[in-house]
Amino acid sequence: MQSKRADVRIIDSETLSDNWYVLKKYIFDLQRRDGEWQRQHREVYDRGNGATILLYNQDKKTVILTRQFRFPVFINGHEGDLIEAAAGLLDNMDPESRIKAEAEEETGFHVSRVQKIFEAYMSPGSVTEKLYFYIAEYQPKDRTGAGGGIKAEGEDIDVLEMTLEEALRGIETGKIVDGKTIMLLYHVALKGIL
């Protein structure tokens, strides 16, 4: 892998793990602002890019969120299940198609029109993943199934409907601690969508 930037020279890379996704160790030279070249070592986790979506209902002023066990946050001291917006890795699909499928798998709601609001790197110091953020309006008639995710992928998801006010209060009280979900909830609040 060669960098397209003149101030970055990748010297070496070593795969440390490719069990779940790919963890590599890189050695690279970075030219500092003062012109000096500095050798650095970084471990980079590549799990692919993903997409996330917040489903909302303007009439009821509600949002659809999910609740599930997340092992990484558990070993970091979070005892409860994580409340999140529906999300998933792209898995060689375009972001819009993937998030429509993911929304239906996880929440049971079929959405045909989604609005992309932004893209963001969630942990750029160590993870390559870029997330594509979407919102979509839902109606009760859009529910085609129970949701819950895909058992073969280890998903066991509860579907939650709550008012935007309850969700925002959940951020303040620490009930909602997932970064992508907080960003989506604040977006719809800030933009006056709900």
Side-chain angles (χ1 to χ4, degrees), residues 151-175:
K151 184 178 182 178
E153 294 179 6
E155 295 177 327
D156 187 16
I157 298 170
D158 291 325
V159 180
L160 308 174
E161 183 177 47
M162 62 180 68
T163 65
L164 177 62
E165 184 180 316
E166 289 171 317
L168 293 173
R169 195 167 42 254
I171 295 169
E172 293 170 6
T173 63
K175 183 177 178 180

Short mmCIF file of all heavy atoms in Angstrom, two decimals, residues 151-175:
data_model
loop_
_atom_site.label_atom_id
_atom_site.label_comp_id
_atom_site.label_asym_id
_atom_site.label_seq_id
_atom_site.Cartn_x
_atom_site.Cartn_y
_atom_site.Cartn_z
N LYS A 151 -29.96 -14.05 13.82
CA LYS A 151 -29.44 -14.93 14.86
C LYS A 151 -28.07 -15.52 14.49
O LYS A 151 -27.18 -15.61 15.33
CB LYS A 151 -30.43 -16.06 15.13
CG LYS A 151 -30.04 -16.97 16.25
CD LYS A 151 -31.09 -18.04 16.50
CE LYS A 151 -30.69 -18.93 17.67
NZ LYS A 151 -31.72 -19.94 17.95
N ALA A 152 -27.89 -15.92 13.23
CA ALA A 152 -26.62 -16.52 12.79
C ALA A 152 -25.44 -15.55 12.95
O ALA A 152 -24.30 -15.99 13.02
CB ALA A 152 -26.74 -16.98 11.34
N GLU A 153 -25.72 -14.24 12.98
CA GLU A 153 -24.68 -13.24 13.18
C GLU A 153 -24.52 -12.86 14.65
O GLU A 153 -23.83 -11.91 14.98
CB GLU A 153 -24.98 -11.99 12.34
CG GLU A 153 -24.92 -12.26 10.84
CD GLU A 153 -25.24 -11.04 10.00
OE1 GLU A 153 -25.41 -9.93 10.56
OE2 GLU A 153 -25.34 -11.20 8.77
N GLY A 154 -25.22 -13.59 15.53
CA GLY A 154 -25.12 -13.33 16.96
C GLY A 154 -25.98 -12.18 17.45
O GLY A 154 -25.81 -11.72 18.58
N GLU A 155 -26.89 -11.71 16.61
CA GLU A 155 -27.72 -10.57 17.00
C GLU A 155 -28.94 -11.04 17.79
O GLU A 155 -29.58 -12.04 17.43
CB GLU A 155 -28.16 -9.78 15.76
CG GLU A 155 -27.00 -9.14 15.03
CD GLU A 155 -27.41 -8.42 13.76
OE1 GLU A 155 -28.36 -8.84 13.08
OE2 GLU A 155 -26.75 -7.40 13.45
N ASP A 156 -29.26 -10.33 18.85
CA ASP A 156 -30.42 -10.59 19.69
C ASP A 156 -30.91 -9.22 20.15
O ASP A 156 -30.58 -8.75 21.24
CB ASP A 156 -30.02 -11.48 20.87
CG ASP A 156 -31.22 -11.93 21.69
OD1 ASP A 156 -32.37 -11.82 21.21
OD2 ASP A 156 -31.01 -12.36 22.84
N ILE A 157 -31.67 -8.56 19.29
CA ILE A 157 -31.95 -7.13 19.40
C ILE A 157 -33.39 -6.86 19.83
O ILE A 157 -34.33 -7.41 19.24
CB ILE A 157 -31.67 -6.44 18.05
CG1 ILE A 157 -30.19 -6.60 17.68
CG2 ILE A 157 -32.08 -4.98 18.07
CD1 ILE A 157 -29.85 -6.17 16.26
N ASP A 158 -33.55 -6.01 20.83
CA ASP A 158 -34.87 -5.49 21.20
C ASP A 158 -35.09 -4.20 20.42
O ASP A 158 -34.17 -3.40 20.25
CB ASP A 158 -34.93 -5.15 22.69
CG ASP A 158 -34.89 -6.37 23.58
OD1 ASP A 158 -35.44 -7.41 23.20
OD2 ASP A 158 -34.29 -6.27 24.67
N VAL A 159 -36.32 -3.98 19.97
CA VAL A 159 -36.67 -2.76 19.25
C VAL A 159 -37.40 -1.83 20.22
O VAL A 159 -38.34 -2.25 20.91
CB VAL A 159 -37.57 -3.08 18.03
CG1 VAL A 159 -37.93 -1.79 17.28
CG2 VAL A 159 -36.87 -4.07 17.11
N LEU A 160 -36.94 -0.59 20.30
CA LEU A 160 -37.50 0.39 21.22
C LEU A 160 -38.09 1.56 20.45
O LEU A 160 -37.45 2.08 19.53
CB LEU A 160 -36.41 0.93 22.15
CG LEU A 160 -35.54 -0.07 22.90
CD1 LEU A 160 -34.43 0.66 23.64
CD2 LEU A 160 -36.38 -0.88 23.86
N GLU A 161 -39.26 1.99 20.83
CA GLU A 161 -39.83 3.23 20.31
C GLU A 161 -39.93 4.18 21.49
O GLU A 161 -40.51 3.83 22.53
CB GLU A 161 -41.21 3.00 19.69
CG GLU A 161 -41.79 4.25 19.07
CD GLU A 161 -43.13 3.99 18.38
OE1 GLU A 161 -44.00 3.33 18.99
OE2 GLU A 161 -43.30 4.46 17.24
N MET A 162 -39.32 5.35 21.36
CA MET A 162 -39.40 6.34 22.43
C MET A 162 -39.52 7.74 21.84
O MET A 162 -39.18 7.94 20.68
CB MET A 162 -38.20 6.23 23.37
CG MET A 162 -36.85 6.48 22.75
SD MET A 162 -35.46 6.35 23.92
CE MET A 162 -35.47 4.63 24.32
N THR A 163 -39.99 8.65 22.65
CA THR A 163 -40.08 10.02 22.16
C THR A 163 -38.66 10.59 22.06
O THR A 163 -37.74 10.12 22.75
CB THR A 163 -40.91 10.92 23.11
OG1 THR A 163 -40.23 11.04 24.36
CG2 THR A 163 -42.32 10.36 23.29
N LEU A 164 -38.50 11.59 21.22
CA LEU A 164 -37.21 12.26 21.11
C LEU A 164 -36.82 12.83 22.47
O LEU A 164 -35.66 12.74 22.88
CB LEU A 164 -37.24 13.37 20.05
CG LEU A 164 -35.94 14.16 19.93
CD1 LEU A 164 -34.78 13.26 19.52
CD2 LEU A 164 -36.11 15.32 18.96
N GLU A 165 -37.79 13.37 23.19
CA GLU A 165 -37.51 13.93 24.52
C GLU A 165 -36.96 12.86 25.46
O GLU A 165 -35.99 13.10 26.19
CB GLU A 165 -38.80 14.53 25.10
CG GLU A 165 -38.62 15.22 26.42
CD GLU A 165 -39.93 15.80 26.94
OE1 GLU A 165 -40.66 16.42 26.13
OE2 GLU A 165 -40.20 15.63 28.14
N GLU A 166 -37.54 11.66 25.45
CA GLU A 166 -37.03 10.56 26.29
C GLU A 166 -35.61 10.17 25.88
O GLU A 166 -34.76 9.91 26.73
CB GLU A 166 -37.93 9.33 26.16
CG GLU A 166 -39.29 9.45 26.79
CD GLU A 166 -40.19 8.28 26.44
OE1 GLU A 166 -40.22 7.85 25.27
OE2 GLU A 166 -40.86 7.78 27.36
N ALA A 167 -35.36 10.13 24.57
CA ALA A 167 -34.04 9.75 24.08
C ALA A 167 -32.99 10.79 24.48
O ALA A 167 -31.90 10.43 24.93
CB ALA A 167 -34.07 9.57 22.56
N LEU A 168 -33.32 12.06 24.34
CA LEU A 168 -32.37 13.11 24.72
C LEU A 168 -32.10 13.08 26.23
O LEU A 168 -30.97 13.26 26.67
CB LEU A 168 -32.89 14.49 24.29
CG LEU A 168 -32.96 14.72 22.78
CD1 LEU A 168 -33.65 16.05 22.47
CD2 LEU A 168 -31.59 14.64 22.13
N ARG A 169 -33.15 12.81 27.01
CA ARG A 169 -32.97 12.66 28.46
C ARG A 169 -32.08 11.44 28.75
O ARG A 169 -31.27 11.46 29.68
CB ARG A 169 -34.32 12.54 29.15
CG ARG A 169 -34.26 12.75 30.64
CD ARG A 169 -35.62 12.94 31.33
NE ARG A 169 -36.67 12.04 30.88
CZ ARG A 169 -37.70 12.43 30.10
NH1 ARG A 169 -37.80 13.68 29.70
NH2 ARG A 169 -38.62 11.56 29.74
N GLY A 170 -32.20 10.39 27.93
CA GLY A 170 -31.36 9.20 28.09
C GLY A 170 -29.88 9.51 27.89
O GLY A 170 -29.02 8.90 28.53
N ILE A 171 -29.58 10.45 27.01
CA ILE A 171 -28.18 10.88 26.83
C ILE A 171 -27.70 11.57 28.10
O ILE A 171 -26.62 11.27 28.61
CB ILE A 171 -28.04 11.82 25.61
CG1 ILE A 171 -28.38 11.08 24.31
CG2 ILE A 171 -26.63 12.41 25.55
CD1 ILE A 171 -28.52 11.99 23.10
N GLU A 172 -28.52 12.48 28.62
CA GLU A 172 -28.14 13.24 29.81
C GLU A 172 -27.94 12.35 31.03
O GLU A 172 -27.08 12.61 31.86
CB GLU A 172 -29.19 14.30 30.11
CG GLU A 172 -29.27 15.39 29.06
CD GLU A 172 -30.46 16.31 29.24
OE1 GLU A 172 -31.19 16.19 30.25
OE2 GLU A 172 -30.67 17.16 28.36
N THR A 173 -28.73 11.28 31.15
CA THR A 173 -28.66 10.42 32.32
C THR A 173 -27.67 9.27 32.15
O THR A 173 -27.45 8.50 33.09
CB THR A 173 -30.05 9.82 32.64
OG1 THR A 173 -30.45 8.98 31.54
CG2 THR A 173 -31.08 10.90 32.90
N GLY A 174 -27.08 9.14 30.98
CA GLY A 174 -26.14 8.05 30.75
C GLY A 174 -26.77 6.75 30.31
O GLY A 174 -26.10 5.72 30.20
N LYS A 175 -28.06 6.77 30.05
CA LYS A 175 -28.75 5.57 29.56
C LYS A 175 -28.37 5.29 28.10
O LYS A 175 -28.28 4.14 27.68
CB LYS A 175 -30.27 5.76 29.70
CG LYS A 175 -31.09 4.58 29.29
CD LYS A 175 -32.58 4.86 29.53
CE LYS A 175 -33.43 3.70 29.09
NZ LYS A 175 -34.86 3.95 29.31
#
